[in-house]
Amino acid sequence: MRVVAGGAGNGGVTSGDGTGVVDAGAGARGLARWVLVAPAGAGFELLPIDAVGQAAGEVTWVDDLALGVSALEREAAPRWVWWRTAEVYPALLEAGVRVQRCHDLAAAQNLLNTYEGAAFVPPQSVVRESAGRSEQISLFGDEPGSSAGGAGVVGTTGGPDTAGHEEEVGRTESSGGRWVGTDGPDLDAPQDDLVLGSLVTEQTPLPSTREAPQGLAELQRLYAGQVAHVARVRRTHPGFALLVAAESAAGLAAVEMGRAGLPWSVRIHDEVLTDLLGPRPQHHGRPPKLQALAEEVSRLLVPGVTGPGPAMNPDSPGDVLKAFKRQGVLLTSTRAWELKEVEHPAVAPLLRYKELARLHVAHGWSWQGQWVRNGRFHPEYVPGGVVTGRWATSGGGALQIPKVMRACVVAEPGCVLVAADAGQLEPRILAALSGDRGMLAATADADMYTALARQALGRPEARNEAKIGLLAAMYGARANTPAMVALRRRFPKALELLERAARTGEDGGIVRSVLGRTCPPPDPTWQDVPLEQALARSRARGRFTRNFVIQASAADWANALVAGLRRRLSALSPAAELVFFQHDEVIVHVPAALAEAAVQAVVDSGAEATALVLGDRGVRIPLAAAPIASYADKN
DNA sequence: AGACGTTGCGCC
DNA sequence: AAAGGGCGCAACGTCT
């Protein structure tokens, strides 16, 4: 182990004990609440900094980051400031080092850039594209040195009454339930200022996130710029610091979850597959039951042809369309819902074939071989991979596990799964965003749709109409069903928020989530097309912005949930693992003795997320959590 | 042969 | 009954 000072003339480094423990200098010991990490040579430079990014100690160099981080984490548990969690953290976990909190510079910059009107840059695109085309201009330039005062990004010094909510997300147990830095919004005030944005463009070029800034000084400058920038944004969007902190926490949780993996029984998986598809084929090719269905479809659709093998390929939409056409059935596509309209003996086996074929190719034996190791499914999560702030995955399709495969997710011996989801999250978010009193009252109900049906339609049994109507309104359907009309009459503020968001988008404007995540602006040339196309694009953008305010705010809430949950589980036991997250649901894997504590951790985290993100606005977001042996037992 | 776009369906 | 938001993935089909 070799440790050298990174800066001229500074000592403050000791490693003579062979543990690699780095003494960051007397000035920093116990006081370093933020530590900047920068690659340097074959190792890393560490620099204690203060809340606004100024050096608060001496630079040290370590050749083994895990050892250096481990020491300081034990000593001070600082907020680690680094370029990209996905690049740094896996090696730390590999060495057995967990950190409590961090500030992901790349993620923060992405949030700031989109806030200012930049295009969306998926977090993983750097790794994948940096070697290839370089269409992106590097905009990394001078970040304004001017400080708008106050600490923005990670400090507890942001204001006398805020106590830095990001700190609460990252660490503390309290949940204030107040909006950061301001009074809570008046329930009766229009919320447009929160969700309908106008671009207040930065004076200087925005730093690109396509390439990592090189060196400690550049990273330090970037961080200081972000602190100042966030402080400015918080004047109009007080939740923005929480957004940044929750995004960073989500990044830690994502790496931890990918590493931990979702308990996955290969035995049950084989059983399910064999049951549905027949025995695994020796080589590639269709399993027996799939092959039989293919041949049956073929016989029924191409009657003249005999002999071995199907006369048409049911995987080929072209083949299917042609075959139906010869049978006198005209289709515009081979989508399941369109096929269901058709009366023909081949339809039923074809639909069954499509269903099973999908399971085989997407979650079959080859999927198992690629993604399941030692009884755990290890996907790669990408927080913020979706423009709305939802997580994406870059492999394994963890967010699209078919329901029939949930039986494969079982607790390991002596353990249980604690599975929880926020039922009807999006309509509850709508109620909170709009401040619609009637809709807020409906969130008190465990089944919100029944409450809506009772209030708007006068018939609780019209639950499904109310549900479809509200979902359609949130997704942008143009059909004005009677249920939608009734909902608009009974919950005018809620529906009005959606319609305003849609109009803003149609006009080329931008909208934001409750915490300030901002949708990208349209391409500047988006309307330079024939009128009819321009109209279609305008409507499409209206649907997008209409949905964005809901989906992105729900993602804000979910990230706060994950942030709080990983903190609580970490305090509970190293054996309490967050093993799955999907938009509005989580699964925790714990020793059975900790089941109740884990349930409590989930419930508390949900309550905290609601308080932090949505404030004290009378919205209820129930989070049903229960210990189960198998994911199939959920609900 | 490989890149790319389309189709269709899994999840929320 | 059949229209609306966000994704990832694999196979097909076409282009290069």
Side-chain angles (χ1 to χ4, degrees):
Chain A
M1 171 81 188
R2 189 171 65 98
V3 179
V4 300
N10 70 39
V13 178
T14 59
S15 64
D17 58 3
T19 65
V21 170
V22 175
D23 181 348
R29 179 180 279 279
L31 299 174
R33 303 195 49 227
W34 297 268
V35 176
L36 187 60
V37 177
F44 294 85
E45 287 176 330
L46 306 182
L47 173 65
I49 53 178
D50 66 15
V52 293
Q54 298 307 301
E58 293 169 346
V59 178
T60 63
W61 187 90
V62 295
D63 67 353
D64 185 333
L65 184 63
L67 290 172
V69 166
S70 173
L72 279 176
E73 183 72 14
R74 270 198 308 275
E75 204 172 277
R79 187 175 295 273
W80 297 96
V81 180
W82 52 48
W83 172 243
R84 197 183 285 279
T85 299
E87 291 173 9
V88 178
Y89 199 33
L92 297 183
L93 287 179
E94 184 64 31
V97 178
R98 280 177 65 109
V99 303
Q100 285 187 36
R101 50 191 183 275
C102 76
H103 173 89
D104 186 319
L105 288 161
Q109 198 59 54
N110 274 334
L111 290 168
L112 286 164
N113 289 357
T114 51
Y115 183 90
E116 303 294 352
F120 174 65
V121 178
Q124 76 276 41
S125 64
V126 165
V127 178
R128 290 191 171 172
E129 294 173 17
S130 60
R133 58 199 154 171
S134 56
E135 82 285 6
Q136 198 74 10
I137 317 148
S138 176
L139 293 175
F140 189 76
D142 292 339
E143 187 60 17
S146 71
S147 162
V153 184
V154 297
T156 54
T157 54
D161 63 341
T162 67
H165 278 223
E166 64 289 343
E167 284 284 10
E168 294 187 323
V169 164
R171 187 168 53 122
T172 72
E173 281 297 323
S174 70
S175 57
R178 301 252 68 87
W179 286 62
V180 182
T182 67
D183 296 328
D186 183 334
L187 277 181
D188 291 312
Q191 298 301 307
D192 308 17
D193 56 326
L194 289 170
V195 297
L196 308 184
S198 58
L199 295 176
V200 186
T201 306
E202 283 287 280
Q203 300 297 314
T204 50
L206 296 163
S208 165
T209 55
R210 292 277 178 178
E211 286 174 37
Q214 295 300 306
L216 190 69
E218 288 278 289
L219 287 166
Q220 188 182 357
R221 206 153 61 92
L222 181 66
Y223 179 72
Q226 290 185 358
V227 171
H229 196 165
V230 169
R232 292 195 293 280
V233 170
R234 284 179 75 179
R235 292 181 198 152
T236 47
H237 288 84
F240 202 86
L242 174 60
L243 177 67
V244 170
E247 193 85 343
S248 288
L252 294 172
V255 177
E256 290 162 3
M257 277 171 46
R259 179 177 173 81
L262 179 66
W264 189 275
S265 166
V266 166
R267 184 184 61 76
I268 296 175
H269 190 207
D270 286 339
E271 280 174 16
V272 171
L273 290 174
T274 305
D275 186 45
L276 293 169
L277 307 171
R280 178 179 191 169
Q282 295 293 343
H283 304 289
H284 48 273
R286 292 195 182 104
K289 293 194 182 182
L290 214 45
Q291 180 65 16
L293 279 167
E295 286 170 12
E296 183 184 354
V297 170
S298 200
R299 268 199 316 278
L300 292 165
L301 226 38
V302 193
V305 181
T306 55
M312 49 83 64
N313 178 5
D315 287 325
S316 164
D319 272 17
V320 174
L321 289 181
K322 271 186 286 182
F324 270 107
K325 192 174 178 184
R326 282 195 297 268
Q327 296 280 303
V329 179
L330 291 178
L331 296 168
T332 62
S333 77
T334 62
R335 287 187 169 83
W337 64 262
E338 192 174 345
L339 285 171
K340 280 176 194 157
E341 306 292 294
V342 175
E343 282 195 41
H344 188 283
V347 166
L350 177 57
L351 289 173
R352 182 65 178 156
Y353 173 87
K354 288 162 83 82
E355 190 185 345
L356 294 180
R358 168 145 190 97
L359 279 179
H360 179 234
V361 299
H363 290 90
W365 287 283
S366 64
W367 174 89
Q368 183 194 97
Q370 188 174 356
W371 299 106
V372 180
R373 303 189 307 270
N374 299 322
R376 296 268 181 136
F377 163 40
H378 297 271
E380 187 189 335
Y381 295 96
V382 185
V386 177
V387 67
T388 57
R390 275 186 174 180
W391 293 24
T393 52
S394 70
L399 304 183
Q400 297 108 244
I401 299 171
K403 290 194 172 175
V404 66
M405 289 299 174
R406 290 184 178 185
C408 309
V409 180
V410 291
E412 291 167 1
C415 292
V416 294
L417 303 170
V418 171
D421 73 297
Q424 307 164 349
L425 177 59
E426 295 192 341
R428 292 172 197 276
I429 292 285
L430 172 61
L433 289 182
S434 64
D436 187 295
R437 289 183 183 282
M439 196 167 278
L440 279 170
T443 67
D445 214 304
D447 181 10
M448 197 179 159
Y449 295 126
T450 299
L452 294 179
R454 197 187 309 114
Q455 289 187 41
L457 302 167
R459 296 177 291 130
E461 67 276 12
R463 175 189 186 280
N464 227 33
E465 288 168 56
K467 174 183 176 178
I468 300 287
L470 189 58
L471 288 174
M474 288 192 293
Y475 288 165
R478 293 174 68 79
N480 240 331
T481 63
M484 283 175 74
V485 172
L487 287 167
R488 187 174 297 115
R489 185 161 45 232
R490 182 65 185 80
F491 308 109
K493 288 184 66 178
L495 278 289
E496 190 181 327
L497 181 137
L498 295 172
E499 281 152 23
R500 281 171 180 266
R503 280 200 295 278
T504 300
E506 288 167 3
D507 294 343
I510 56 154
V511 295
R512 308 186 198 274
S513 75
V514 61
L515 295 185
R517 190 186 302 267
T518 304
C519 82
D523 180 292
T525 65
W526 75 303
Q527 296 292 54
D528 298 351
V529 290
L531 184 62
E532 199 176 336
Q533 257 187 61
L535 193 62
R537 285 190 191 184
S538 172
R539 285 178 178 166
R541 185 167 170 82
R543 290 192 295 272
F544 168 59
T545 52
R546 173 196 291 257
N547 185 253
F548 184 97
V549 298
I550 304 299
Q551 192 182 120
S553 298
D556 289 347
W557 182 90
N559 273 345
L561 169 74
V562 167
L565 185 54
R566 77 174 279 280
R567 183 186 79 238
R568 287 184 173 83
L569 293 178
S570 173
L572 184 60
S573 160
E577 299 175 293
L578 180 58
V579 293
F580 188 63
F581 168 68
Q582 182 184 42
H583 309 314
D584 68 345
E585 68 178 291
V586 290
I587 299 180
V588 177
H589 187 254
V590 282
L594 297 177
E596 283 314 310
V599 166
Q600 196 59 48
V602 170
V603 171
D604 290 348
S605 300
E608 181 187 57
T610 302
L612 285 173
V613 175
L614 300 170
D616 183 14
R617 327 189 67 202
V619 66
R620 181 165 167 263
I621 301 180
L623 195 54
I628 50 179
S630 165
Y631 192 20
D633 299 337
K634 182 168 171 290
N635 296 340

